[in-house]
Amino acid sequence: MSVSRTVELEGHIIDSGVMGRCMGIVMDMDGWFDVEEFDVGTRKHEESYARMRVSAEEEETLHEILHQLNQTGATLEDPIDAGIEPAPADRVVPAGFYSTTNHPTEIRYEGKWIEVERIEMDCAVVVDPEGGDHDGPRAYTKVLNAIEKGDLVVTGNTGIRVHPPERPRDAGGAFGFMQGGVSSERPATTQIENVANAIAETKDRGGNVMVVAGPAVIHSGARNDLARLVGEGYVDAISAGNGFAVHDLERDLYGTSLGMDVETLEHPRKGHKHHIYTISEIIRSGGISEAVAEGKIDSGIMYECVENDVPFVLAGSIRDDGPLPDTITDSIAAQNAIREQAHDADLVLMLATLLHSVAVGNCLPSTTRVVCVDINPATVTQLQDRGSAQTVGMVTDIGTFVPLLADALLDGSE
């Protein structure tokens, strides 16, 4: 005997592909559907509505189908309150807990829909019935290692509403080009101008721009231009690794990056030791800020961060030399520091770093605009495949991209 439930879809569900994806999910998972109502928006800004009865042979199959439909934006016609169970111990979630997407999400609690705060992928949702300083109950995400015994954790898939971002119908405005995808064949100059416009618009409306950068920014000769952007107020936060900061500081102290003279491409005698000498000098001073205060460091990206009070997070890895005193070597502490930066960001510019791009991408809601630039298209593809589908990818040399971006922003503002 078959089982069925009715789901609803609302919004720009045709041109954004949501309707087709939902139908495909049902069929691919051995279910079937009947469209009971379908009202199509016939004008540009009108939304559409569909009610669809979904059926399957087994209750378990139907449950799995409904879960996938929920992640795509469908909601049950007759929603009930979300299931809630207390966490049995610290860092232990109840069996069947709801694992979040990075899309805006609501949960139904005591008959009312509550927005889930600080949404990011692969987290649990915790409900606070009292709400603290809030007017009424609140819901928010928690990573699994932060769960405490007794936390009220959302379980199952009922009483949960997910809102995937919809593809815009036109390409107007500075953000019109940001519709996902990666290509090495798009006009680079036009794309860079679009990114510059998007950054300028973000700053004009008081938004926050975060840069995630790898050592290739330094090696490729783009250091001075990124430093200019920091100094001129176009960067509000930087997330990077130990190596990025080391080579930026090495460039100031020795004129090299990983032992190579960036201007002449020559390798000075003992140049291969410059990075470890740099680390030693910064440790001797007590940290990057202290080295700047002493006058030991007087140029570069880290210098501009210190001088302009731009916060930075340097997350350590197992392969780090030193590391610098400012590098966070506890991986959980580094994740939490990145998470705080990411949740404040309105636009994130990822420059030539796969691991840090993925790490930051995991913390971002799907409403945060992301531009990822790398000479390797696999970097952007992997970021999108891991859930950051809002990412716009540019396949180009970072040493060309950053100077052109700086010129577009700084020359345009003069």
Side-chain angles (χ1 to χ4, degrees), residues 148 166 187 206 240 246 340 348 376 402:
E148 299 175 279
E166 296 176 340
V246 168
E340 290 301 315
V348 179
N376 184 0
V402 176

Side-chain angles (χ1 to χ4, degrees), residues 126-318:
V126 173
V127 175
D128 178 1
E130 303 301 325
D133 295 333
H134 288 63
D135 183 17
R138 59 187 288 250
Y140 52 92
T141 59
K142 261 194 177 185
V143 292
L144 299 194
N145 63 58
I147 291 291
E148 299 175 279
K149 182 178 180 179
D151 278 346
L152 299 179
V153 178
V154 173
T155 59
N157 296 294
T158 59
I160 299 168
R161 207 156 58 180
V162 178
H163 303 281
E166 296 176 340
R167 186 178 61 202
R169 291 192 173 195
D170 56 43
F175 293 116
F177 80 104
M178 304 185 76
Q179 298 183 35
V182 53
S183 174
S184 59
E185 299 180 355
R186 295 172 181 161
T189 303
T190 301
Q191 286 289 85
I192 292 170
E193 289 175 355
N194 286 333
V195 175
N197 290 337
I199 292 173
E201 182 176 306
T202 300
K203 296 302 299 177
D204 286 345
R205 59 185 175 84
N208 181 291
V209 176
M210 177 181 178
V211 168
V212 184
V217 172
I218 314 301
H219 305 330
S220 66
R223 168 184 182 260
N224 291 344
D225 292 288
L226 183 54
R228 289 169 62 204
L229 291 176
V230 175
E232 293 296 329
Y234 285 101
V235 177
D236 298 288
I238 285 184
S239 177
N242 183 70
F244 170 83
V246 168
H247 298 306
D248 172 64
L249 298 165
E250 175 193 343
R251 182 79 172 84
D252 183 82
L253 289 174
Y254 298 100
T256 59
S257 177
L258 201 59
M260 181 186 73
D261 189 310
V262 176
E263 302 297 334
T264 66
L265 304 184
E266 295 177 350
H267 292 268
R269 184 171 177 270
K270 293 187 178 181
H272 64 287
K273 296 184 179 182
H274 286 174
H275 76 285
I276 202 70
Y277 291 163
T278 297
I279 293 169
S280 174
E281 287 303 309
I282 302 302
I283 292 174
R284 196 184 321 279
S285 295
I288 296 172
S289 297
E290 291 82 356
V292 170
E294 292 175 6
K296 184 178 290 184
I297 300 297
D298 59 10
S299 72
I301 299 164
M302 305 313 298
Y303 169 82
E304 293 293 348
C305 285
V306 172
E307 288 293 283
N308 294 280
D309 295 321
V310 174
F312 57 86
V313 170
L314 304 179
S317 75
I318 195 67

